[in-house]
Amino acid sequence: MEAVAAERTEPRVVLSARGLGKDFAGFTAVNDVDLDVEHARIHALIGPNGAGKTTVFNLLTKFLQPTRGQITLLGQDITQTKPDKVARMGLVRSFQISAVFPNLSVRENVKVALQRPAGLAVQFWLPLSSLDRLNARADALIEQLGLAQYRDHRAADLSYGRKRVLEIATTLALDPEVLLLDEPMAGMGQEDVRMVAEIIREVARTRAVLMVEHNLNVVADICDHVTVLQRGEIIARGDYATVSADPRVRTAYMGSEA
């Protein structure tokens, strides 16, 4: 009975990389990176500026083609797969710069994202009313992420933090198995940071989240696993307590072990 219970709680790896590397004209930006991202866990990728974090994101999502190594998503090798197909397979990312339509309402932004999974993305000849079937799903996402009172507001009129929440809503519209968030807290005040951190925690109940984040307080608070990069290579991994106590990590961030 105990063995059955242990089997049920065993984390399931949904995204992995082995020996991942990327060279640019003789410069090695990423070297021999191994990564396992688990379902219903929040995994942080951290490191000083220039450590290769965004390059790893671009490799995983296939915006860049690896020089070497293998990437697996949900048990399938995606090393040579194009980025649009990877997204349809369930690996969806956000970007450092907010990517919402400023003159559309919150609901309209979410409905735009819902068009592809609903099979409406290229059916431009249909009347606008054909999108009404997306209202219920859009409203459910908006409610889930705490944006209900802003449903009819223009995206341009939202606070910066709520724009980032709206961006998360548009990525969730694609129903991803793995959500990659690139610096979701960048430029936010403390109130917005707390709000977005709680939303990410809730989102991760049903999917894997891999995030690049510089706010180490957030990483310590919500992340289950942390991988630390320096000069394109992994120097530490584990929970936050483990990596924060590693002298190599302190040196990478502070310039000395002290």
Side-chain angles (χ1 to χ4, degrees):
M1 203 62 185
E2 291 180 2
V4 172
E7 184 178 345
R8 286 176 180 166
T9 59
E10 186 69 23
R12 173 169 59 95
V13 174
V14 290
L15 174 67
S16 68
R18 290 292 178 270
L20 195 62
K22 181 63 179 178
D23 300 332
F24 295 99
F27 168 71
T28 299
V30 172
N31 186 45
D32 199 26
V33 166
D34 291 344
L35 197 65
D36 285 322
V37 181
E38 298 169 343
H39 176 70
R41 300 287 192 274
I42 303 175
H43 191 135
L45 192 61
I46 69 171
N49 289 334
K53 304 180 297 294
T54 296
T55 302
V56 169
F57 254 41
N58 287 334
L59 292 170
L60 294 173
T61 52
K62 306 313 307 301
F63 283 76
L64 288 174
Q65 183 62 30
T67 305
R68 57 195 164 275
Q70 183 182 48
I71 305 167
T72 305
L73 173 65
L74 302 174
Q76 297 187 52
D77 187 338
I78 62 166
T79 311
Q80 303 296 326
T81 306
K82 292 182 178 180
D84 58 331
K85 185 175 180 181
V86 167
R88 290 195 294 272
M89 291 172 66
L91 179 59
V92 178
R93 70 171 292 178
S94 72
F95 293 86
Q96 292 179 15
I97 300 173
S98 184
V100 298
F101 295 103
N103 293 316
L104 296 183
S105 70
V106 166
R107 187 197 229 185
E108 288 167 339
N109 267 277
V110 177
K111 286 171 68 175
V112 168
L114 285 168
Q115 287 181 54
R116 177 170 290 282
L120 297 170
V122 296
Q123 298 184 33
F124 54 86
W125 59 86
L126 294 176
L128 194 60
S129 60
S130 66
L131 299 181
D132 288 348
R133 73 181 79 168
L134 304 178
N135 288 345
R137 174 63 178 147
D139 290 345
L141 278 170
I142 289 166
E143 178 74 28
Q144 177 188 351
L145 297 190
L147 292 171
Q149 71 185 94
Y150 306 100
R151 186 184 72 176
D152 299 317
H153 291 213
R154 285 194 325 146
D157 297 330
L158 299 177
S159 70
Y160 180 72
R162 288 195 168 86
K163 284 178 185 174
R164 298 310 299 254
V165 173
L166 175 56
E167 185 178 354
I168 293 173
T170 62
T171 59
L172 291 181
L174 300 175
D175 198 22
E177 290 278 350
V178 187
L179 180 60
L180 274 60
L181 301 174
D182 197 354
E183 297 190 32
M185 313 294 177
M188 289 186 190
Q190 282 303 310
E191 183 178 348
D192 281 342
V193 165
R194 286 192 294 269
M195 172 188 66
V196 175
E198 285 306 311
I199 285 171
I200 293 172
R201 196 199 304 271
E202 182 62 30
V203 164
R205 292 181 185 275
T206 56
R207 56 183 48 83
V209 174
L210 175 64
M211 56 189 282
V212 168
E213 184 52 56
H214 285 290
N215 189 324
L216 297 185
N217 289 327
V218 171
V219 173
D221 184 38
I222 71 171
C223 293
D224 303 289
H225 194 88
V226 182
T227 298
V228 187
L229 287 177
Q230 183 183 31
R231 299 190 182 95
E233 297 186 345
I234 293 175
I235 59 170
R237 66 182 100 211
D239 60 21
Y240 183 79
T242 299
V243 301
S244 63
D246 192 311
R248 294 170 299 175
V249 175
R250 296 199 298 271
T251 300
Y253 273 96
M254 305 301 294
S256 71
E257 292 187 20

